[in-house]
Amino acid sequence: MSLLRKFLFPFSLLFAVAQTFRNFLYDYEIITNSKFDTPTISIGNLSFGGTGKTPMVGYLLSNYLKKYQIATLSRGYKRNSKGFLKLDLKSEINYVGDEPYTLKITYPKSEVYVCENRVFGIKRILKDFKCDLIILDDAFQHRRLSVMLNIILTNFSYPFYSDYIMPFGNLREPRSSYKRADIIIVSKCPENLNSNEMDEIKSKIKLIKNQKLFFTTVVYKEKIYGDKIENIKAFSGKEIILVTGIAETKNIEKYLNNKKIKFKHLKYSDHHNYSKYDIDSIKIISRNLNVITTKKDYYKLNEKISNLFYLDIETKFLKDESIFLKEINKILN
């Protein structure tokens, strides 16, 4: 543990007290929140980034969009705009935020919106769109809103029960806040995670009454996409440049290593907006080499970098997927 982390511990205690008091005010309805008749699902977490919230939103869209009218609402983190916006296929990625933009491009039949104030955002959505379901990306800490189903994700490699509140750790609020969730998903698990290991994690989380626990993993598709579609096997044994602007890169690095793909990794911060200097640097380093990136980074770079491809992913449940879907169906029917 770094000396800086130890120095920040007293500040974490102060922040924990403030967050606990804030939650107390909402839990005992001293501060009231807003509720809506339209079914609402929040996909959130206790920590900062890297748990797979947006892929889980995509999972829900892929399963329910054919049957239901669905709106998604996000803050639009690091976007170059403010207030309530509705996305369309001509939206500019840095203006609306990379994750909402990617959702809209991937699921064009969904209605995608951004707004910092989720309550105001939902009110505007309901004026604009008669929907069956509103999915909120990253709204667990937005206590002004009461949702019908609260789902939180925690990264298998960095579970919330082993973490600490910021700035000493990476949690946005105390560990005990997990009790507000209806469903907890341990994300980015190894595909071969066995039942004993699942039970061990379950015992550490200490589920409360009526809470459900699920385990998911990240599956990389064998095809990679760009100006043309290639099979990932075509890059085996070759050298490429890997460019990422995401919070957690362990899985993508492991995947490329397993495919025996040699890579130099240009790693940027999560939701990075690429500057002209960044673009020029990537061009120089990737001369005569293919560049592989994530889907959301691809849409930031594809008009500026040639020989660019992205890896696409999907969320896969390791067990009990049907039980999870039943929980979703309860609020829809």
Side-chain angles (χ1 to χ4, degrees):
M1 185 180 297
S2 69
L3 182 61
L4 177 61
R5 289 271 186 175
K6 292 179 180 179
F7 174 76
L8 292 173
F9 184 72
F11 297 96
S12 291
L13 292 177
L14 292 174
F15 187 65
V17 170
Q19 288 295 311
T20 300
F21 181 65
R22 175 178 181 266
N23 285 330
F24 169 83
L25 295 177
Y26 279 105
D27 291 342
Y28 288 90
E29 299 183 351
I30 298 169
I31 301 178
T32 58
N33 50 32
S34 299
K35 300 177 182 179
F36 295 89
D37 293 332
T38 302
T40 49
I41 298 175
S42 168
I43 310 293
N45 57 12
L46 289 178
S47 62
F48 285 98
T51 59
K53 295 184 300 294
T54 303
M56 178 53 62
V57 174
Y59 170 87
L60 292 174
L61 289 173
S62 64
N63 277 275
Y64 289 96
L65 198 53
K66 290 181 180 179
K67 187 175 179 181
Y68 297 96
Q69 297 290 319
I70 302 176
T72 66
L73 177 60
S74 169
R75 173 186 172 188
Y77 184 63
K78 282 195 175 181
R79 61 185 169 118
N80 298 333
S81 61
K82 292 183 179 179
F84 178 84
L85 292 173
K86 178 181 179 180
L87 279 68
D88 59 36
L89 296 177
K90 295 181 181 179
S91 294
E92 197 276 317
I93 187 167
N94 289 328
Y95 190 73
V96 298
D98 50 16
E99 288 173 341
Y101 178 90
T102 304
L103 284 172
K104 182 62 183 177
I105 294 296
T106 307
Y107 305 97
K109 291 185 179 180
S110 68
E111 299 295 336
V112 181
Y113 304 83
V114 292
C115 190
E116 299 89 346
N117 186 325
R118 307 305 201 281
V119 174
F120 178 79
I122 290 177
K123 289 178 179 178
R124 286 291 304 272
I125 289 171
L126 295 176
K127 286 183 179 180
D128 179 68
F129 178 47
K130 187 178 180 180
C131 54
D132 304 307
L133 172 65
I134 298 175
I135 302 173
L136 298 117
D137 190 350
D138 197 11
F140 188 65
Q141 284 73 37
H142 209 83
R143 296 298 308 270
R144 286 183 57 204
L145 173 65
S146 177
V147 298
M148 292 186 183
L149 190 67
N150 244 324
I151 300 173
I152 63 168
L153 284 73
T154 186
N155 191 319
F156 171 83
S157 299
Y158 314 101
F160 72 84
Y161 54 78
S162 296
D163 205 347
Y164 300 90
I165 198 165
M166 64 172 291
F168 183 69
N170 297 305
L171 297 183
R172 303 179 184 188
E173 52 183 310
R175 297 176 191 173
S176 58
S177 298
Y178 82 93
K179 295 175 183 178
R180 297 202 314 271
D182 303 297
I183 291 174
I184 299 171
I185 296 176
V186 182
S187 62
K188 301 186 179 182
C189 297
E191 285 194 75
N192 60 352
L193 190 70
N194 61 49
S195 296
N196 290 335
E197 291 169 313
M198 291 181 186
D199 288 341
E200 183 179 351
I201 293 171
K202 184 176 181 179
S203 68
K204 290 178 179 178
I205 292 177
K206 297 182 174 65
L207 297 178
I208 64 172
K209 186 178 179 181
N210 297 324
Q211 266 187 334
K212 303 275 191 310
L213 178 66
F214 299 93
F215 297 85
T216 65
T217 189
V218 172
V219 176
Y220 286 89
K221 297 180 180 179
E222 287 296 301
K223 292 180 179 179
I224 61 171
Y225 302 85
D227 290 336
K228 56 183 178 179
I229 300 175
E230 295 274 6
N231 192 294
I232 190 66
K233 292 179 181 178
F235 294 84
S236 181
K238 297 180 180 179
E239 184 178 353
I240 60 98
I241 302 299
L242 173 64
V243 177
T244 60
I246 56 177
E248 195 268 309
T249 61
K250 179 180 176 181
N251 285 333
I252 193 170
E253 292 171 346
K254 181 179 178 181
Y255 176 76
L256 293 177
N257 283 324
N258 287 342
K259 293 295 181 181
K260 295 180 171 51
I261 297 172
K262 304 173 185 177
F263 60 90
K264 178 179 177 61
H265 192 174
L266 301 181
K267 188 185 297 189
Y268 297 89
S269 61
D270 196 15
H271 303 280
H272 184 71
N273 289 327
Y274 294 90
S275 65
K276 184 179 183 301
Y277 175 81
D278 296 329
I279 300 298
D280 290 342
S281 298
I282 295 169
K283 284 181 177 179
I284 292 170
I285 294 172
S286 66
R287 190 172 295 151
N288 301 321
L289 294 174
N290 288 310
V291 179
I292 292 180
T293 189
T294 68
K295 193 172 187 177
K296 68 179 183 180
D297 289 309
Y298 175 84
Y299 290 117
K300 293 179 178 179
L301 297 169
N302 67 322
E303 294 182 355
K304 302 163 187 173
I305 304 292
S306 58
N307 299 321
L308 182 69
F309 297 87
Y310 71 86
L311 287 166
D312 205 1
I313 62 172
E314 58 186 359
T315 295
K316 176 185 175 184
F317 279 75
L318 296 181
K319 61 181 293 190
D320 298 333
E321 181 177 18
S322 62
I323 297 175
F324 173 79
L325 293 175
K326 283 180 182 178
E327 294 299 311
I328 305 299
N329 293 336
K330 284 180 184 178
I331 72 165
L332 288 169
N333 301 319

